[in-house]
Amino acid sequence: MTEDDFPYLSPSLDAVEGIAHARISCWLHCLRDGLYAVGFRDTARALAQPVNFAVERTSDGELLTLYGGLDTEYHEPRFQRGVTARWETSPGSPENALDLVERELARGHAVPVSPDLSGMRHSEFYRVPWFGYPHTFLVHGLGPDTVRAADRNTRRSAGFTDNRGTVPVEELRRGLTGAPVLVWDTGAPTPDWADERQALLSRSVRNMTEPESPDEGLAGLGTLPGVLAGLEEHPSRSSVLRMRVSGPLQRQVAGDRHLLAAVLDGETAPGAREAAELLRASSDGFVELARLVFLLGRSWSAETLGLCAERAKRLHDLDSRAVERVAALL
């Protein structure tokens, strides 16, 4: 497979199923493009995840990230339409670190990888300490000295065009030593779509109304104004708001609603279109909130914090209505 065979991570894919790449978590974005490269086209229904909202903290209570349905089952992902995937760990020795990548490329699959990016000069995260959540990019060619890669988070000096460029093999080898690789497959769907859709909707309702902790679901969303206010004195407030709040709100949280809305748009069941409209409005609202949080990180003010809190409360109401409409489809 050559670099010109497929526009990996290209915005052109956004026109196919109406799924904006900026609202897809990076690892699912890579998987979506890899699926298209092998001729799989039903990616909206295959990759849609149950709606969720969660505030994740470290063991000592520090905010780690926010996430939505796109990352609820990140470690053991579940998909529809015959798509399966699992994370495998690359060998722990540098000389064998690319074995998994070579194996998957030999199968004709582009390979989502989550290496240590601190030593990879093309990446926005070059020389940046780990920020709490792994970034994934796509490897679609491996030569003796360079790797053909697609990555939506690159430095301007990296020389990437349309999110595609080359990375030195040795940098990937070092970064991927002992790091995760997403191994994926396609097959004939076993359940019919009606059953898969019902399971997807049921998990969405359960996530939001019967959460496993007070920091999840609608209850967790209700704590968001307090989460933001609690960051005022954080020594790294700007980067935390940008990397751990604004970014996840735009992708993981807005993204699950964006994907499920795209799925329900194609359904004929009574009420499906109304549910899709509410989910789409929620997705758009979370993107707007993400922008406000980004501004809050650049210039903290009581006024901007108040606007964030007001928007979060409106989103809680909107999500409550959306979940009611989704529940009515069960």
Side-chain angles (χ1 to χ4, degrees):
M1 185 177 293
T2 68
E3 186 174 1
D4 296 327
D5 284 338
F6 187 76
Y8 294 102
L9 303 194
S10 167
S12 65
L13 277 181
D14 291 347
V16 178
E17 291 183 287
I19 303 170
H21 71 276
R23 299 195 194 182
I24 307 178
S25 193
C26 57
W27 66 286
L28 280 183
H29 189 183
C30 291
L31 179 55
R32 180 192 74 166
D33 286 18
L35 289 169
Y36 263 85
V38 298
F40 188 97
R41 293 293 180 266
D42 198 9
T43 60
R45 294 198 301 176
L47 301 183
Q49 298 292 289
V51 167
N52 200 4
F53 180 88
V55 180
E56 185 174 7
R57 297 182 181 275
T58 64
S59 58
D60 59 3
E62 182 180 355
L63 178 66
L64 180 63
T65 190
L66 307 179
Y67 64 84
L70 292 181
D71 286 312
T72 297
E73 295 163 353
Y74 172 83
H75 296 291
E76 296 181 2
R78 289 194 283 175
F79 300 113
Q80 296 75 234
R81 304 290 77 205
V83 172
T84 59
R86 66 186 184 278
W87 290 101
E88 292 191 18
T89 303
S90 296
S93 58
E95 59 269 22
N96 299 115
L98 300 181
D99 286 359
L100 280 178
V101 172
E102 292 175 342
R103 185 192 76 190
E104 294 305 299
L105 288 173
R107 298 174 64 212
H109 288 186
V111 191
V113 298
S114 291
D116 177 356
L117 297 164
S118 61
M120 306 192 73
R121 289 168 291 177
H122 81 283
S123 175
E124 282 186 358
F125 308 110
Y126 176 57
R127 293 181 175 174
V128 174
W130 187 68
F131 59 92
Y133 216 81
H135 174 63
T136 301
F137 67 86
L138 198 64
V139 172
H140 58 101
L142 184 61
D145 301 311
T146 58
V147 175
R148 289 199 301 274
D151 191 346
R152 69 187 192 189
N153 290 100
T154 59
R155 304 165 74 202
R156 290 184 180 180
S157 60
F160 273 51
T161 301
D162 198 13
N163 296 315
R164 289 175 292 165
T166 59
V167 175
V169 163
E170 289 309 311
E171 288 188 6
L172 181 63
R173 187 185 302 279
R174 289 194 299 270
L176 206 55
T177 301
V181 170
L182 188 66
V183 176
W184 56 271
D185 283 288
T186 60
T190 302
D192 62 29
W193 168 241
D195 290 338
E196 289 185 324
R197 186 200 67 169
Q198 289 299 94
L200 184 61
L201 299 183
S202 178
R203 285 156 58 205
S204 295
V205 173
R206 187 167 61 251
N207 284 346
M208 296 298 284
T209 63
E210 302 175 25
E212 294 183 0
S213 83
D215 291 327
E216 299 179 19
L218 288 168
L221 181 53
T223 70
L224 184 54
V227 170
L228 295 174
L231 294 173
E232 182 173 5
E233 302 300 326
H234 196 288
S236 302
R237 182 181 67 204
S238 178
S239 62
V240 169
L241 285 168
R242 186 177 74 255
M243 303 295 292
R244 303 187 186 186
V245 181
S246 179
L249 284 174
Q250 177 168 305
R251 293 185 293 273
Q252 287 91 332
V253 180
D256 57 9
R257 291 147 176 80
H258 183 62
L259 267 173
L260 192 55
V263 168
L264 291 177
D265 265 339
E267 297 295 309
T268 58
R273 184 60 58 87
E274 291 83 353
E277 289 174 355
L278 286 168
L279 287 167
R280 190 173 297 106
S282 176
S283 178
D284 291 344
F286 274 110
V287 171
E288 293 171 4
L289 177 58
R291 292 169 180 158
L292 275 175
V293 171
F294 184 83
L295 292 175
L296 184 66
R298 297 191 65 173
S299 180
W300 184 279
S301 72
E303 180 181 4
T304 305
L305 178 63
L307 288 173
C308 289
E310 179 184 326
R311 185 63 52 84
K313 290 176 182 176
R314 291 211 302 262
L315 283 167
H316 185 279
D317 176 65
L318 188 56
D319 265 8
S320 297
R321 292 162 53 204
V323 170
E324 287 180 2
R325 295 307 306 166
V326 170
L329 295 173
L330 296 172

